[in-house]
Amino acid sequence: MSVTPLRDRIADLILSGEFRPGDNLDEQALALRFGVSRTPVREALHQLAPSGLIEMRPRRPTLVKRLNPAQLADAFEALGEIEALCARYSADRMSQIERMQLSEIMKRGDGIAARNDRELYRAVDSEFHNAVHEGARNASLHRLASQMRMQVAPYGASPYTLPGWSADLSVPHQQHKRIAEAITARDSGSAHRLMAEHIALSSATFQTIWSDKTMQEEAASKLRRKRRS
């Protein structure tokens, strides 16, 4: 496997939630997993570093980048403004074919959300937001939106796959449908407002989940240190 596909495979593992914020990306373990030597793994990680998904430090383990609560809040705040602007522009600029395609995405999501299939819904979520980015007809906004979603993706994707976390997918799906309906109706003001609300609610949910998870990890770490002492 060459370096570029290897880089993309590692990124997929992070974006899918298999590797989570703070996880160690061990070069030897990755080399064994993909049947390659450590050299292409190391190069793939170097190529992935500018994306903001991982943190590489000299003579220290490479980690899936972990944002502190303030950084995560800042990232979601910026993402909300960018996504809302994309939704506004999409309502004004999407072609009729693109509006029909957006409606088809929502129809596919209906059954997936009804079954509460978290893994499949993650793909629908990504497809929906990508369609809104592309429909905005603004390359700079599209690039910024993609970069910001990449930054928060390990937090946004993980709840769909966290063991024991029972997400009611009808909630985000209904939010998506209302945004899609506003875009299809060319109601740019409602599309902007609904997308901003959607990202704000997602931010609150994900920050609560990761705050609780961090507290649990800190408590477990303290317990381990106490047992060793």
Side-chain angles (χ1 to χ4, degrees):
M1 184 184 297
S2 62
V3 172
T4 299
L6 183 58
R7 176 202 64 197
D8 294 342
R9 291 286 298 278
I10 296 171
D12 286 342
L13 291 173
I14 297 171
L15 296 174
S16 70
E18 182 167 344
F19 290 154
R20 295 176 183 143
D23 281 357
N24 180 12
L25 297 172
D26 182 74
E27 291 181 5
Q28 185 61 39
L30 289 170
L32 289 172
R33 177 169 186 155
F34 294 112
V36 298
S37 69
R38 292 180 63 175
T39 299
V41 170
R42 188 176 301 113
E43 179 59 29
L45 291 174
H46 276 286
Q47 288 190 14
L48 192 57
S51 71
L53 281 177
I54 67 174
E55 183 178 357
M56 298 190 75
R57 301 164 297 176
R59 295 181 295 279
R60 299 183 69 181
T62 297
L63 306 175
V64 178
K65 189 167 184 178
R66 185 167 200 158
L67 302 178
N68 64 42
Q71 291 171 326
L72 187 58
D74 285 350
F76 267 111
E77 184 177 51
L79 177 64
E81 292 298 321
I82 294 168
E83 290 267 11
L85 198 52
C86 284
R88 177 186 292 277
Y89 287 165
S90 286
D92 290 333
R93 300 173 180 177
M94 261 191 180
S95 68
Q96 188 58 36
I97 291 176
E98 287 175 317
R99 294 173 204 272
M100 292 171 63
Q101 290 171 339
L102 187 62
S103 296
E104 286 300 316
I105 294 171
M106 294 299 94
K107 289 178 183 177
R108 288 201 303 275
D110 286 342
I112 294 171
R115 296 193 305 273
N116 220 46
D117 189 325
R118 292 177 290 173
E119 188 60 29
L120 285 180
Y121 193 77
R122 186 175 64 83
V124 171
D125 177 81
S126 178
E127 193 175 357
F128 165 75
H129 284 281
N130 285 337
V132 175
H133 299 166
E134 292 175 3
R137 293 286 189 279
N138 185 304
S140 295
L141 263 184
H142 191 173
R143 183 174 61 255
L144 285 171
S146 298
Q147 289 172 347
M148 290 307 304
R149 287 193 69 81
M150 181 78 75
Q151 187 174 355
V152 303
Y155 298 85
S158 296
Y160 296 135
T161 53
L162 279 174
W165 190 70
S166 55
D168 181 1
L169 295 179
S170 66
V171 175
H173 186 60
Q174 288 303 316
Q175 293 170 5
H176 286 174
K177 289 183 75 171
R178 287 193 290 272
I179 295 165
E181 288 166 0
I183 290 173
T184 301
R186 302 180 186 273
D187 185 349
S188 58
S190 293
H192 183 279
R193 174 179 56 80
L194 290 167
M195 181 64 88
E197 291 174 355
H198 169 59
I199 299 298
L201 288 170
S202 297
S203 172
T205 300
F206 296 143
Q207 288 185 71
T208 298
I209 291 168
W210 282 101
S211 176
D212 291 345
K213 187 172 184 291
T214 299
M215 291 175 65
Q216 292 170 4
E217 289 174 348
E218 289 176 351
S221 178
K222 288 179 181 178
L223 181 59
R224 286 194 296 270
R225 289 197 299 270
K226 185 176 180 180
R227 286 173 175 171
R228 287 197 297 265
S229 62

